[in-house]
């Protein structure tokens, strides 16, 4: 109900400065802080962009992969959906009205016909669009006493997208370009909140190396519904990384505690993290059933505890002494750089 109200509030404010205010209230903005922490969405984006910057020049490089066409992607997704058990009805179609490369509803995944895909994007789109967005919608619809869980909306966006991006990360399908793009979108939200126009965003992306078409599509994501002249953006794209951090923190806590029943409620429908307590209580009363369609990362439960256990330790280590230890190697690598690459 709250999501429906929020959606209608946004629709009623399209094309006005109020749209930007409502969007920031509902989705958060670039400068929204995380739970009880001074760190903001844009701080995470800046950190990732800094860590993703490639400094090496080395001759060792990956061979350029053969890109998949939209038709090939659709065929691969269709085959994977058909192999899923229990059986699930999801159709994959090509749709030239699709602005994103791919987007999923409950029963249909739409793919933009002119898009091409890296090999790992096939895995990424399956776990993101199918195993997250479509599965959670089906699970919600199958709750006899709570079928409304199939419908998401603004208040569930951060959790849904965070869960989807976590699935990409866990399956080693989150490529450098993809994560960089998510971070850049947070930066664009910040710029638009500060008054940058659609043209400002487009030019900034092109200057960073984006193609004019990709720059157009990404700038349009930030300006849709708001003001193309700046100051009132659609801030939804600031919630992807925020959602990832929130979902990752939640999973780390509950996996280590061994609360699998409670954790499974995360995919019982299109929900927000704040709904988990109520859903767990309803399941304990027998009013909710276990979700039938579970993503692969959740099915492989025994692989999750090692993943989070190691990550929790390494995250507490100060890497500065380690970087200093290898400073000689970094200096040697810099000296070996060919003159034209310096």
């Amino acid at each position: 109900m709250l999501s429906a109200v929020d959606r209608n509030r946004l629709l009623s404010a399209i094309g006005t400065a109020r749209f930007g205010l409502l969007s920031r209230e509902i989705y958060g903005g670039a400068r929204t802080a995380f739970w009880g922490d001074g760190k903001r969405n844009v701080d995470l984006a800046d950190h990732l962009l800094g860590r993703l910057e490639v400094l090496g020049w080395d001759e060792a490089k990956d061979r350029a992969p053969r890109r998949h066409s939209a038709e090939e992607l659709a065929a691969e997704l269709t085959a994977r959906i058909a192999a899923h058990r229990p059986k699930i009805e999801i159709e994959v179609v090509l749709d030239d009205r699709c602005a994103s490369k791919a987007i999923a509803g409950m029963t249909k995944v739409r793919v933009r016909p002119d898009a091409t895909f890296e090999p790992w994007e096939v895995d990424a789109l399956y776990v993101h669009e199918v195993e997250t967005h479509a599965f959670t919608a089906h699970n919600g619809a199958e709750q006899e006493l709570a079928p409304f869980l199939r419908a998401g909306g603004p208040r569930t966006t951060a959790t849904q997208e965070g869960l989807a991006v976590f699935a990409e990360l866990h399956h080693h399908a989150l490529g450098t370009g993809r994560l960089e793009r998510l971070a850049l979108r947070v930066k664009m939200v910040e710029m638009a909140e500060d008054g940058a126009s659609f043209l400002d965003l487009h030019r900034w992306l092109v200057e960073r190396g984006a193609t004019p078409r990709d720059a157009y599509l990404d700038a349009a994501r930030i300006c849709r519904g708001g003001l193309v002249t700046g100051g009132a953006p659609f801030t939804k794209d600031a919630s992807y990384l925020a959602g990832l951090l929130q979902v990752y923190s939640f999973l780390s806590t509950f996996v280590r505690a061994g609360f699998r029943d409670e954790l499974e409620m995360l995919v019982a429908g299109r929900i927000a993290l704040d709904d988990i307590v109520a859903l767990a209580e309803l399941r304990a009363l027998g009013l909710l059933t276990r979700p039938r369609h579970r993503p692969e990362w959740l099915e492989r439960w025994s692989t999750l505890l090692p993943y989070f256990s190691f990550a929790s330790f390494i995250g507490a280590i100060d890497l500065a002494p380690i970087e200093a230890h290898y400073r000689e190697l970094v200096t040697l690598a810099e000296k070996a750089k060919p003159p034209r690459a310096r």
Side-chain angles (χ1 to χ4, degrees):
M1 177 63 72
L2 288 176
S3 276
V5 171
D6 287 340
R7 181 168 54 243
N8 290 338
R9 291 167 67 204
L10 280 170
L11 289 173
S12 68
I14 283 178
T16 69
R18 183 168 173 267
F19 181 91
L21 296 174
L22 289 173
S23 180
R24 188 159 55 247
E25 174 193 329
I26 295 166
Y27 295 104
R31 296 181 178 89
T32 299
F34 300 114
W35 288 323
D37 192 295
K39 297 290 191 298
R40 307 163 302 169
N41 293 338
V42 70
D43 295 327
L44 175 56
D46 285 334
H47 172 81
L48 291 174
L49 289 172
R51 299 294 292 185
L52 292 173
E53 185 179 1
V54 178
L55 301 177
W57 63 271
D58 303 287
E59 294 178 359
K61 298 184 184 299
D62 293 332
R63 179 180 301 174
R66 186 186 73 82
R67 299 184 68 88
H68 293 253
S69 67
E71 291 81 1
E72 290 172 320
L73 174 77
E76 177 66 21
L77 294 183
T78 298
R80 294 190 186 191
I81 292 168
H84 172 71
R85 294 295 180 272
K87 184 176 174 58
I88 189 168
E89 295 295 333
I90 302 172
E91 182 185 12
V92 183
V93 299
L94 301 183
D95 186 347
D96 56 14
R97 298 169 300 173
C98 189
S100 301
K101 294 176 73 172
I103 188 170
M106 176 176 162
T107 60
K108 188 173 294 185
V109 177
R110 296 185 294 128
V111 181
R112 199 174 74 225
D114 65 345
T116 60
F117 304 88
E118 303 280 5
W120 54 85
E121 284 187 286
V122 178
D123 292 329
L125 288 169
Y126 180 74
V127 299
H128 186 118
E129 303 295 348
V130 178
E131 284 200 341
T132 303
H133 295 326
F135 278 17
T136 52
H138 275 270
N139 287 335
E142 292 178 7
Q143 293 292 343
E144 183 178 356
L145 299 178
F148 57 85
L149 291 176
R150 67 186 174 188
R155 69 178 298 275
T156 69
T157 295
T159 300
Q160 272 284 298
E161 300 301 348
L163 195 57
V165 178
F166 169 78
E168 295 180 50
L169 179 65
H170 191 264
H171 282 271
H172 305 290
L174 184 59
T176 302
R178 161 73 167 158
L179 185 55
E180 181 182 40
R181 204 166 184 179
L182 292 177
L184 288 176
R185 288 172 181 170
V186 179
K187 296 293 290 181
M188 285 194 292
V189 169
E190 180 186 39
M191 292 169 63
E193 287 178 324
D194 289 342
S197 68
F198 173 87
L199 289 177
D200 293 329
L201 298 178
H202 185 273
R203 289 167 181 154
W204 182 73
L205 287 173
V206 171
E207 288 171 1
R208 290 186 59 92
T211 66
R213 177 172 173 75
D214 284 344
Y216 175 89
L217 293 172
D218 274 0
R221 290 178 64 97
I222 307 303
C223 295
R224 54 186 166 163
L227 297 176
V228 295
T229 53
F234 186 38
T235 63
K236 175 186 173 183
D237 276 318
S239 70
Y240 281 61
L241 293 182
L244 172 60
L245 187 60
Q246 292 165 8
V247 166
Y248 189 97
S249 302
F250 173 85
L251 291 175
S252 179
T253 300
F254 276 78
V255 166
R256 281 187 288 162
F259 296 136
R260 184 169 181 173
D261 286 351
E262 290 73 18
L263 194 149
E264 284 188 349
M265 289 293 96
L266 190 59
V267 299
R270 290 189 170 183
I271 64 166
L273 276 176
D274 288 343
D275 299 331
I276 294 291
V277 174
L279 295 182
E281 290 176 349
L282 291 174
R283 181 173 178 181
L285 293 171
L287 300 178
L288 293 181
T289 58
R290 185 184 185 195
R292 293 178 66 237
H293 305 290
R294 297 180 292 277
E296 184 181 347
W297 64 262
L298 184 52
E299 289 284 70
R300 295 164 59 187
W301 177 260
S302 63
T303 69
L304 289 175
L305 185 56
Y307 177 86
F308 285 109
S309 297
F310 184 78
S312 66
F313 184 83
I314 198 71
I317 292 179
D318 180 6
L319 296 180
I322 300 173
E323 292 174 353
H325 178 77
Y326 289 107
R327 177 59 57 192
E328 183 180 351
L329 177 59
V330 173
T331 302
L332 181 65
E334 284 291 327
K335 288 181 178 179
K337 185 183 294 185
R340 283 182 298 176
R342 289 178 183 166

